Structures are given as structure tokens and as C-alpha cells.
Amino acid sequence: MVGGKDQEAFRYALSQVSRFVYQNGFSLAIISLLWFLASLSLVMIGPATLAAYVAIQDLRSDQNRVDRAHVLTVLRHNGVASAMFSGVPVALGAVAVTYATAALERGSVLGEGIALVAAYAAVYVSLALMPTFAKLAGSEDAVDALRYGLKWLIRHPTPALAMGLMTLVVLSVTVLLTIAFVLVFPGLAFSIQLTIIDEVEEHSSRTSSVEMASNSLNS
């Protein structure tokens, strides 16, 4: 599924995820439970996801522990932006479902077209929001974080799609197991997303540095 220069980074990221989840299983279960409870109010899905991203980034850092003060600081800085951003794919999805339902009832070609465009836009925005939230979790300015997310998706479409599909797989499996969704899905899915984003970006930066050095030597 993943090819080209991102293949090595993607595979390495997956190996890192399994090790990270094994070493931090209990903490990730707590993060997942708190995310679920906070997300029961749908308007809080964005801030809850942002908080989970920050907590997982703390676990992935050298300190290997969740800094609650850090989580609260990031939420104060980017909580509103995360709520606004998370509402976009939800709104687009609602438009897609509404027009698809109407098109099925009335046989409207225009309705089917609008539903398809809205569904595609919802998927595209959802994929772009993963790296966007990774930057928001690092206290990046909201506009800069969104710009980064869109650029990351454009530069790395295949890993982004693979990351999205893996998230759907984790969602499907954990929903079937019911309680696993509460204790496993957010922690595992967000760990996969953050690790892939970081490793692909790091690999891309190293590759660019090597290419620049090689061009300098050749010139």
C-alpha cells in the first residue's frame, strides 16, 4: 500500500507503535477512557482528541509520563481551534448523508453528486486534521497547524490514506468488541497516527538534507 520514499518510514513507524503500546498500555487505556467520557458531549470531541494527542506525545517524549499541566496549557491555547476544526468533517458528513438520502428517495443525480463531493471533502479534511492536531498538540498556532496539515497530506498522500484506513480498521475491530472501543481505540489509533506522522516527516527531512548535501557536492 505504501510505496516510494515513505515506505521505510511507514514500516518503521508501525514497529515503533507496537513497542510503544506494549510499554504504555495502562496509561493509554486511561487516556482512552477519559477521551470517551469527554467525547460523550459531541462538541468536546475536538478538545478531547487534542488532549489525548498531547498526553500521548508526552508519553512518547523522553519524560515518558503525562504532564497534566502541559495538557491543560495546550487546551487553553488551542482548545477552541480544535473544536472548530473537528466540526468541519462532521458537517460535511452530515451534508453527504442528507443529500444521499434525498437522492435515493427522489432519484436526483444532482443530489448524488453533491453527496459524493461532500463525502470526499469530509474524508480529505479528516486526513488533513490528523497532522494538524499533531501540530496543535505542540502548541502551534491554529492557522500554521492547519497549513502544515494540508501540506503534509499533499506531500504524503499514500501514508495519509494508509493511516486513515488503519484507523478505520482499529475502529471497526474495537467497536465489535464493545468495551475495547472505550479502553483501546483512542489510545491505539492516536498512537498510530502520531507515530506515522512524526516518522514520515522525520524521514522526509533527512532525505531532503541528504539530497541537498549531494547536490552541493555535485555542484
Side-chain angles (χ1 to χ4, degrees), residues 63-94:
Q63 67 181 12
N64 191 228
R65 65 178 181 83
V66 177
D67 185 342
R68 285 177 291 182
H70 179 219
V71 174
L72 292 175
T73 298
V74 175
L75 281 176
R76 283 195 293 268
H77 187 250
N78 283 327
V80 174
S82 69
M84 294 175 61
F85 288 163
S86 65
V88 175
V90 173
L92 290 170

Side-chain angles (χ1 to χ4, degrees), residues 5-6 8-9 198-208:
K5 64 182 182 180
D6 291 330
E8 181 182 348
D198 288 348
E199 292 300 332
V200 169
E201 184 65 22
E202 184 176 341
H203 176 76
S204 179
S205 298
R206 286 199 304 266
T207 301
S208 298

Side-chain angles (χ1 to χ4, degrees), residues 40-129:
L40 290 176
S41 173
L42 296 181
V43 296
M44 291 299 294
I45 289 179
T49 300
L50 177 61
Y53 265 53
V54 177
I56 293 172
Q57 283 187 344
D58 282 349
L59 287 176
R60 295 183 68 240
S61 68
D62 292 337
Q63 67 181 12
N64 191 228
R65 65 178 181 83
V66 177
D67 185 342
R68 285 177 291 182
H70 179 219
V71 174
L72 292 175
T73 298
V74 175
L75 281 176
R76 283 195 293 268
H77 187 250
N78 283 327
V80 174
S82 69
M84 294 175 61
F85 288 163
S86 65
V88 175
V90 173
L92 290 170
V95 170
V97 171
T98 300
Y99 275 91
T101 303
L104 289 174
E105 293 176 350
R106 305 171 186 173
S108 170
V109 176
L110 177 60
E112 292 177 357
I114 294 175
L116 286 173
V117 171
Y120 176 82
V123 172
Y124 187 90
V125 172
S126 297
L127 293 177
L129 284 181

Side-chain angles (χ1 to χ4, degrees), residues 104-197:
L104 289 174
E105 293 176 350
R106 305 171 186 173
S108 170
V109 176
L110 177 60
E112 292 177 357
I114 294 175
L116 286 173
V117 171
Y120 176 82
V123 172
Y124 187 90
V125 172
S126 297
L127 293 177
L129 284 181
M130 294 179 189
T132 297
F133 268 68
K135 282 296 182 182
L136 288 176
S139 296
E140 189 84 18
D141 178 77
V143 175
D144 292 338
L146 181 59
R147 187 181 296 115
Y148 170 84
L150 293 171
K151 288 182 178 179
W152 194 94
L153 178 56
I154 292 171
R155 291 197 305 265
H156 310 289
T158 307
L161 180 58
M163 181 169 60
L165 291 174
M166 290 188 68
T167 301
L168 285 177
V169 169
V170 174
L171 174 62
S172 300
V173 172
T174 54
V175 165
L176 289 175
L177 298 175
T178 310
I179 190 63
F181 173 79
V182 177
L183 297 178
V184 175
F185 169 70
L188 178 56
F190 299 159
S191 295
I192 290 172
Q193 293 166 14
L194 283 169
T195 305
I196 291 175
I197 291 166

